[in-house]
Amino acid sequence: MRPLHRPFHRRWSSRALAAAIALAVPLAAPTFTTVAHAAPAAPAARIDIPFTKYKLDNGLVVILHEDHSLPLVVVNTIVKVGSRFEEPKRTGFAHLFEHLMFMGTRRVPTKMFDAWMEAAGGSNNAWTSQDRTDYYDLGPSNTVDLLLWLEADRFASLADEMTLDKLNVQREVVRNERRQRVENAPYGKADLRLSELLYPVGHPYHHPVIGSHEDLQAATVDDVKAFFRRWYVPNNASLVVAGDFDPAVVKPLIEKRFGPLRNTPVPAAPAAPKVKLDKVVRETLKDNVELGKVMMAWHSPARYAPGDAELDLLSLVLTEGKVSRLYKALVYDQSLAQEVVAYQASQDSGSYFQVEAIAQPGVPLEKLEAAIDAELKKLTSETISAAELTRAQNQYETSFVSRLQSIHTRAMNLNLYESFVGDPGFAEKDLDLYRAVTPASLLAIARGTLDPNGRVIIHVVPEKKPEAPTAEAAR
């Protein structure tokens, strides 16, 4: 399971998520059966997260995962809608809508969704990406009916009870989030600009998830209601209940709460044509930062397409650990960079691979860029060693399996796999994609993707700060 690229959370510093991870360390649910293997890169275990999957008459996919090691339960709901589904001139709407989902209904007045859940010992959060929106709740076992009721209630009636006051409150929250997390965050302007440079105007991935102030300000109550009725229908969503519960009790509850939801035909997602740059797109941005930064990005294969797993491992070869290629060359050997990061930003309809490095004080960005290019040229000129690949595969698998310790993450993974490929039990098959990578396949995808003549390059330079007034000028 690859991490989603910088999804926007309703409350992105989530105490709920931290608590979920901390509480769920002892576990017994996933089964790891030892198998024989010969090479160090081969896995030592097979992952089997037991689940039951079925579908309600209205099309809602339900996935149950029992784990009685702790008295906790998680309810996770994924709606197949993200920023690439937004209408023209309504960017940021999917994320705005995620916030509106917490604004209350007739049965659950404003602010009571959180209040009632927290009073029962539960917590919640949500996130939105380019491709989907995820809502999750965590609570003691005896809260399962409350969590299901709260989720089903807003799915049933939120659109009918939306008001301009509710919309105005959350549009200001989201616009402030944009200012805080992006516009006034170090290097945030470059993050905003990257998608605009990578994708042409009109492409569903052209605009950032957070959207623009103008479009957020222009949203109307009718827009909200139409968005809800178009995408927030049971046949465009999947529900996971995970943890300490009795299926004989929970299945009737799910039918009672979610069964009456009415389904409607789901529109096709907007077309997202494949994009390939045939030139270098350069831009220099000024930002309120102390150190300059170089960002590079290339179009790359979509999530689970051939090459997607290779690029995840390539990012580890480049920047994960002190002996990784870019980290060692730029940070240790040449002292050009303070920090260097690479990652494959996997998306449903075409991804991008990104490298970024923050310069050491006084290092020209042109010199830093040349040093990155020199390492990338080596990477695409000769096959990487088996030892490097094994290290990357081991790093990836350790991180992958470690995340499954959390019942919260297990629930989310089951649901994401359902939404990605229609198979909640895809974890082992996903890992197999990484185990199957060879030095030759890694070299092939590196050569095919890291085209020095087809990429976006952004230089972020510090804004010149106003000089302090001299004593003479002050008189």
Side-chain angles (χ1 to χ4, degrees), residues 218-260:
T220 68
V221 173
D222 285 343
D223 291 333
V224 173
K225 293 183 176 181
F227 190 88
F228 182 93
R229 290 171 177 143
R230 188 179 303 127
W231 304 112
Y232 277 69
V233 290
N235 45 320
N236 195 41
S238 50
L239 172 77
V240 169
V241 179
D244 181 35
F245 64 90
D246 180 353
V249 174
V250 160
K251 292 178 81 170
L253 285 176
I254 293 172
E255 179 63 42
K256 179 181 178 182
R257 303 300 183 205
F258 289 88

Side-chain angles (χ1 to χ4, degrees), residues 57-136:
D57 289 343
N58 59 17
L60 178 69
V61 174
V62 179
I63 300 154
L64 305 180
H65 165 60
E66 288 184 72
D67 174 3
H68 300 285
S69 60
L70 289 173
L72 294 172
V73 67
V74 173
V75 172
N76 182 291
T77 308
I78 283 183
V79 184
K80 294 180 183 177
V81 63
S83 60
R84 75 179 170 93
F85 296 77
E86 292 163 350
E87 298 285 309
K89 304 294 184 183
R90 290 294 182 271
T91 63
F93 211 84
H95 174 240
L96 171 64
F97 196 87
E98 173 213 308
H99 283 250
L100 290 170
M101 282 288 279
F102 292 87
M103 286 305 291
T105 66
R106 177 176 57 81
R107 289 176 291 267
V108 185
T110 300
K111 297 185 179 180
M112 296 314 294
F113 187 98
D114 288 338
W116 289 347
M117 195 175 292
E118 291 172 4
S123 58
N124 66 78
N125 210 333
W127 54 262
T128 305
S129 71
Q130 291 85 350
D131 298 313
R132 50 191 49 78
T133 306
D134 182 13
Y135 300 87
Y136 51 90

Side-chain angles (χ1 to χ4, degrees), residues 258-293:
F258 289 88
L261 299 179
R262 191 178 65 175
N263 61 7
T264 60
V266 179
K274 185 176 181 180
V275 181
K276 181 172 175 55
L277 295 173
D278 57 5
K279 62 180 180 181
V280 176
V281 179
R282 282 190 175 273
E283 190 156 297
T284 298
L285 298 172
K286 292 182 180 179
D287 203 352
N288 184 23
V289 294
E290 295 292 330
L291 301 171
K293 183 178 187 177

Side-chain angles (χ1 to χ4, degrees), residues 345-356:
S346 298
Q347 303 175 138
D348 286 359
S349 300
S351 311
Y352 61 91
F353 186 82
Q354 185 169 338
V355 173
E356 54 187 59

Side-chain angles (χ1 to χ4, degrees), residues 380-453:
T380 55
S381 301
E382 57 189 36
T383 305
I384 73 163
S385 69
E388 275 186 296
L389 176 57
T390 298
R391 184 175 67 87
Q393 288 170 318
N394 289 342
Q395 288 174 331
Y396 187 88
E397 188 153 341
T398 298
S399 174
F400 185 102
V401 174
S402 296
R403 291 198 297 270
L404 296 179
Q405 293 180 99
S406 160
I407 186 67
H408 158 73
T409 306
R410 253 179 284 149
M412 183 169 64
N413 282 10
L414 288 166
N415 217 355
L416 284 173
Y417 282 134
E418 169 61 27
S419 72
F420 288 153
V421 296
D423 177 8
F426 194 70
E428 188 65 27
K429 296 173 186 173
D430 191 3
L431 267 184
D432 281 342
L433 296 174
Y434 294 82
R435 294 163 179 155
V437 173
T438 66
S441 69
L442 201 61
L443 177 63
I445 193 63
R447 285 176 172 171
T449 302
L450 304 180
D451 180 359
N453 299 312

Side-chain angles (χ1 to χ4, degrees), residues 287-363:
D287 203 352
N288 184 23
V289 294
E290 295 292 330
L291 301 171
K293 183 178 187 177
V294 174
M295 294 175 63
M296 300 178 180
W298 298 258
H299 288 286
S300 58
R303 178 181 285 115
Y304 298 127
D308 186 40
E310 277 84 352
L311 288 167
D312 268 335
L313 295 181
L314 187 67
S315 71
L316 301 180
V317 169
L318 288 173
T319 62
E320 183 64 30
K322 295 178 180 177
V323 299
S324 59
R325 292 195 179 198
L326 282 176
Y327 192 91
K328 181 176 184 300
L330 302 180
V331 177
Y332 269 85
D333 294 346
Q334 302 175 54
S335 298
L336 296 175
Q338 180 163 294
E339 178 184 322
V340 58
V341 177
Y343 54 87
Q344 161 78 343
S346 298
Q347 303 175 138
D348 286 359
S349 300
S351 311
Y352 61 91
F353 186 82
Q354 185 169 338
V355 173
E356 54 187 59
I358 297 177
Q360 288 280 11
V363 172

